[in-house]
Amino acid sequence: MINTHEFLSITINSLTEHIVVIDSTGLIRFINRSWLDFAHDNSCLTKPDWEDVNYLTVCDAAAASGDTFGLNASTGLRKLIHEKRDSFVLEYPCHSPEEKRWFMMTAKPMLFQSETFFLVTHHDVTARKMAEEAIEALSRIDGLTKIANRRTFDEFFDGEWSRCARQQLPITLAMIDVDYFKLVNDKYGHHIGDECLVKIAAALDSLKKRPGDLCARYGGEEFIYVFGNTSSENALVVIDKLISAVHALGIPNLDSPIGPIVTVSAGLATIIPKIGANKEALIESADLLLYEAKRRGRNQAVSSIIFPT
């Protein structure tokens, strides 16, 4: 419970927190200058000085229009008021057309002249959220090739599998491997081998055109490509372009038994998944088809349609 002295200290010393005080009915009894300025700058003034405005009613109206913050705020504040909780905290986005913004809403009861009110503060936490987003983005990118990593693939594939299963759409998975990559490392060194992987990843990533597609580094010299809602024939067109693009790079591999430059092989498996079916079977099928492409001489793709089990 905040007392009057603490409340005055908060309002006097805070220049960045937007502060409002409501009574047990939700009626606004006080706002600070920061709150008023923010409302004015963002065109969300309800009445001049918010006189006779009920904060809970405003939140309810926002919730009715589909605003998630409005729903969560009104629910949390009512629990604070009626269930005598110590506090309520809510972190939420409040993006403008010009920038991304996040705020932390904190509500606590306060006692003034023997009556209980509720102090609600909104603190800008954008800097922290932007830093968290940057760290999260880095955790999803392969450090060498700068394309999606295995973790990102796992999450994306799970989502696309579920979507295609619900809508009974085809999903194609391509497993791609650099032919005789060990010979590149052995002859030219691992630094050149790394450069080779970076160039192939860039060629692979340049072919991604739709939100339902993802290319990722699967491990070592292996890459994987997810084609959501894509037939085997259409996915094969893309992978054939990749094989040609890698060949056109002309990356030396003089010791390769199939030619003096780096090439890739690919296995493509397509399925119309069923809900509850084993999605790992699609990965295993693509891997088997990759080895079939290698058995046939490499520098090519082998595709097949499989059936869910």
Side-chain angles (χ1 to χ4, degrees):
M1 181 78 71
I2 297 173
N3 60 37
T4 306
H5 176 75
E6 291 171 325
F7 166 66
L8 290 174
S9 177
I10 292 170
T11 56
I12 291 171
N13 294 323
S14 177
L15 297 176
T16 58
E17 289 187 333
H18 315 312
I19 298 174
V20 61
V21 176
I22 63 175
D23 62 23
S24 59
T25 70
L27 188 66
I28 293 177
R29 305 293 290 271
F30 170 86
I31 58 172
N32 71 344
R33 172 54 57 181
S34 179
W35 176 286
L36 192 61
D37 290 344
F38 182 84
H40 180 271
D41 293 341
N42 290 271
S43 302
C44 53
L45 281 172
T46 303
K47 290 183 180 181
D49 296 327
W50 293 70
E51 183 180 0
D52 298 326
V53 173
N54 189 295
Y55 189 60
L56 291 176
T57 301
V58 172
C59 291
D60 290 340
S65 67
D67 184 276
T68 302
F69 165 74
L71 176 61
N72 292 336
S74 63
T75 301
L77 287 172
R78 284 190 169 91
K79 286 183 178 180
L80 178 69
I81 293 170
H82 300 299
E83 298 180 13
K84 311 297 183 183
R85 297 189 175 187
D86 293 333
S87 64
F88 166 64
V89 178
L90 174 65
E91 187 172 286
Y92 63 96
C94 182
H95 305 322
S96 73
E98 294 78 26
E99 61 180 341
K100 284 187 172 183
R101 301 177 304 197
W102 286 266
F103 287 87
M104 177 76 76
M105 172 185 178
T106 303
K108 296 181 179 180
M110 60 171 286
L111 191 64
F112 179 71
Q113 295 181 349
S114 301
E115 185 178 351
T116 300
F117 296 86
F118 299 88
L119 174 67
V120 182
T121 63
H122 295 259
H123 180 69
D124 192 327
V125 294
T126 300
R128 173 176 64 79
K129 288 295 293 184
M130 293 294 282
E132 289 174 354
E133 281 200 344
I135 293 171
E136 175 66 14
L138 286 174
S139 73
R140 295 176 174 276
I141 299 298
D142 177 64
L144 174 64
T145 63
K146 308 307 179 187
I147 64 172
N149 60 16
R150 177 72 173 270
R151 171 193 170 187
T152 305
F153 160 74
D154 288 339
E155 293 177 358
F156 184 87
F157 180 46
D158 186 64
E160 279 303 292
W161 177 275
S162 297
R163 182 178 75 90
C164 290
R166 288 193 307 270
Q167 302 178 23
Q168 282 298 279
L169 301 171
I171 182 171
T172 298
L173 202 64
M175 190 75 75
I176 303 149
D177 188 71
V178 182
D179 297 325
Y180 297 110
F181 182 69
K182 184 177 183 299
L183 300 181
V184 176
N185 283 332
D186 291 346
K187 186 173 184 65
Y188 307 103
H190 288 275
H191 175 69
I192 298 301
D194 286 349
E195 289 182 355
C196 169
L197 294 178
V198 170
K199 290 177 181 178
I200 292 173
L204 185 62
D205 197 48
S206 69
L207 298 173
K208 182 168 63 70
K209 304 297 183 184
R210 307 174 310 153
D213 298 344
L214 176 82
C215 55
R217 188 181 182 192
Y218 198 66
E221 67 271 25
E222 256 189 344
F223 299 89
I224 198 160
Y225 204 127
V226 183
F227 297 89
N229 188 20
T230 305
S231 68
S232 178
E233 293 81 8
N234 289 339
L236 187 59
V237 170
V238 176
I239 297 303
D240 281 341
K241 288 181 180 178
L242 171 67
I243 292 172
S244 297
V246 171
H247 193 276
L249 290 172
I251 302 170
N253 192 9
L254 292 176
D255 291 343
S256 170
I258 61 172
I261 60 176
V262 168
T263 58
V264 295
S265 299
L268 288 80
T270 302
I271 194 172
I272 298 178
K274 293 181 179 178
I275 294 176
N278 179 19
K279 63 179 181 293
E280 299 302 321
L282 187 63
I283 300 176
E284 294 169 2
S285 295
D287 201 43
L288 289 173
L289 291 165
L290 168 62
Y291 280 98
E292 176 61 19
K294 289 180 176 293
R295 189 190 68 79
R296 294 184 186 184
R298 308 184 190 235
N299 191 29
Q300 60 186 283
V302 173
S303 63
S304 180
I305 299 173
I306 65 172
F307 299 93
T309 57

